[in-house]
Amino acid sequence: MTPQVFQDLLHHLLTRALSHYTMSPTHVVFYVKESSFLFVLSTAQHRFVLKLFPPSSPHFTTQEETCRWTLSLKDSAEHRFLKPLPNKASAFTTVIHHGQSLWKCALFPWVLGTPLHQELSPQKIHQWGRLMGAFHAQSAASPQSHAQKTTTQLNTWNRVFYAYPNKIADSSFGEHYAAMAQKVASTLEALWNTPGPPIRFHGDMHGGNILCRANQMTLLDFDNLTWGFPIQDIAIALLNFRNDPNFPHRCASFKAGYETAASWPQHHEKYLSDLMMGRLMNVANAMLHMQSLDNEEVKSRLRRYAEEFKAYL
């Protein structure tokens, strides 16, 4: 498919998607491509974000469940959870038929604010920890328990490569990745053999998915909602601090904030560093699925990760 043909396809799908909503945008701008295609829509009074999911998206089958779960979360004066908007049929996920294939979309309000990673003061990190604690507390209190997981499409982080099939083994960077995978697998086995039920965790609560405005934080992008333990979500959130000389202080601020809303998983804290490396392995694996190994930037990052795994081991 040529770039022009694909652009025409996206325009067609976007037009079909918008026909399911009551608002009529006066301006539409392509925003970014991730596991979905994001568009910014503007009307005379408001802006929105529309996510368009191709059938190949790893989040295609989980959209309905993700939307239902997000809608169940309770906001507070300090924290908000970005929720989808209904279409004309009062559904929060819209299915679009295109030939023999199906696409899906979801519409969200535009949120004003500064990404958290641009405002990482100790106070903001404390509030970030409190946001995660509040989210985990609501998840733990949900009547939709892990015992009902047979009806879910969400990923479960009980294996090393939980989001995408393992492509690391097919790359030329496998030696230290293989040794790291063995260590992470052992850690996951130990974690999942400890007492206590898993919860749904956010799965991507880093500083780019949190917007700050005045004294309020808004948590975005629930597409990576995952079954697992709170310490796994914490590892994902803190991953980008792993090489920061101030990591102990940042982690202490985060933990202090978390403990104002939920009990810190003290019995799982010993797994934090291994889980951070496990998350980094999944980041590398996702790159191999979404980008070509011929890309020099991708190869450079994979080499850096391999060196980090070597040093860690």
Side-chain angles (χ1 to χ4, degrees):
M1 187 180 296
T2 67
Q4 183 59 52
V5 170
F6 188 68
Q7 186 175 344
D8 292 343
L9 170 62
L10 283 182
H11 182 269
H12 171 72
L13 291 166
L14 181 60
T15 301
R16 293 280 302 277
L18 291 175
S19 70
H20 290 270
Y21 295 91
T22 55
M23 61 94 181
S24 299
T26 56
H27 196 54
V28 178
V29 176
F30 174 73
Y31 186 51
V32 70
K33 178 188 180 300
E34 295 175 333
S35 58
S36 59
F37 298 88
L38 273 65
F39 299 86
V40 178
L41 318 175
S42 301
T43 67
Q45 292 83 25
H46 303 288
R47 280 198 292 177
F48 305 87
V49 173
L50 186 134
K51 286 186 174 184
L52 187 61
F53 296 90
S56 60
S57 168
H59 311 304
F60 182 84
T61 59
T62 61
Q63 274 312 292
E64 289 83 357
E65 183 175 356
T66 300
C67 286
R68 285 196 305 271
W69 176 251
T70 309
L71 288 164
S72 73
L73 296 170
K74 296 178 175 61
D75 297 335
S76 70
E78 189 179 23
H79 301 128
R80 290 177 56 204
F81 303 102
L82 185 65
K83 298 177 175 67
L85 299 170
N87 61 19
K88 292 177 182 177
S90 299
F92 293 90
T93 301
T94 301
V95 178
I96 306 163
H97 296 265
H98 177 70
Q100 299 299 312
S101 65
L102 297 178
W103 290 58
K104 292 181 183 178
C105 72
L107 183 69
F108 300 86
W110 180 267
V111 179
L112 295 174
T114 303
L116 172 64
H117 61 71
Q118 297 179 20
E119 295 191 5
L120 281 174
S121 66
Q123 293 77 17
K124 290 294 185 184
I125 294 174
H126 187 278
Q127 187 179 358
W128 178 21
R130 189 157 60 250
L131 168 63
M132 180 175 278
F135 176 81
H136 289 174
Q138 290 197 45
S139 184
S142 169
Q144 298 173 301
S145 68
H146 192 261
Q148 298 169 310
K149 198 177 111 34
T150 52
T151 62
T152 188
Q153 298 282 348
L154 300 181
N155 285 319
T156 299
W157 192 4
N158 59 356
R159 61 196 185 282
V160 177
F161 297 103
Y162 65 99
Y164 292 90
N166 180 11
K167 270 198 170 184
I168 295 294
D170 300 328
S171 75
S172 58
F173 303 94
E175 179 184 354
H176 299 302
Y177 283 89
M180 193 74 247
Q182 290 182 356
K183 184 171 181 57
V184 172
S186 297
T187 296
L188 289 170
E189 182 179 7
L191 175 66
W192 281 83
N193 282 324
T194 57
I199 63 169
R200 289 177 178 87
F201 64 71
H202 184 272
D204 209 20
M205 203 185 291
H206 56 71
N209 276 337
I210 299 170
L211 295 181
C212 305
R213 191 181 188 199
N215 295 320
Q216 189 175 68
M217 287 184 171
T218 301
L219 179 58
L220 315 175
D221 192 5
F222 287 78
D223 290 342
N224 291 285
L225 200 64
T226 302
W227 280 105
F229 294 92
I231 196 66
Q232 295 176 288
D233 214 13
I234 293 167
I236 291 168
L238 297 180
L239 176 66
N240 290 337
F241 292 153
R242 67 192 184 279
N243 296 320
D244 188 330
N246 291 321
F247 178 81
H249 300 290
R250 292 182 184 273
C251 188
S253 294
F254 185 92
K255 179 178 179 179
Y258 187 100
E259 289 180 319
T260 65
S263 296
W264 182 260
Q266 198 72 40
H267 57 302
H268 287 161
E269 191 171 29
K270 60 186 176 183
Y271 302 128
L272 179 61
S273 295
D274 285 358
L275 291 170
M276 290 170 70
M277 291 298 100
R279 174 62 173 183
L280 190 61
M281 291 199 68
N282 278 276
V283 170
N285 192 47
M287 278 198 302
L288 290 172
H289 278 267
M290 294 186 284
Q291 301 185 54
S292 170
L293 192 54
D294 295 332
N295 184 308
E296 287 300 321
E297 182 180 350
V298 171
K299 286 195 285 189
S300 176
R301 287 180 66 183
L302 289 171
R303 289 191 190 98
R304 290 201 308 271
Y305 295 164
E307 288 302 311
E308 187 169 351
F309 294 147
K310 180 181 178 181
Y312 185 81
L313 292 165

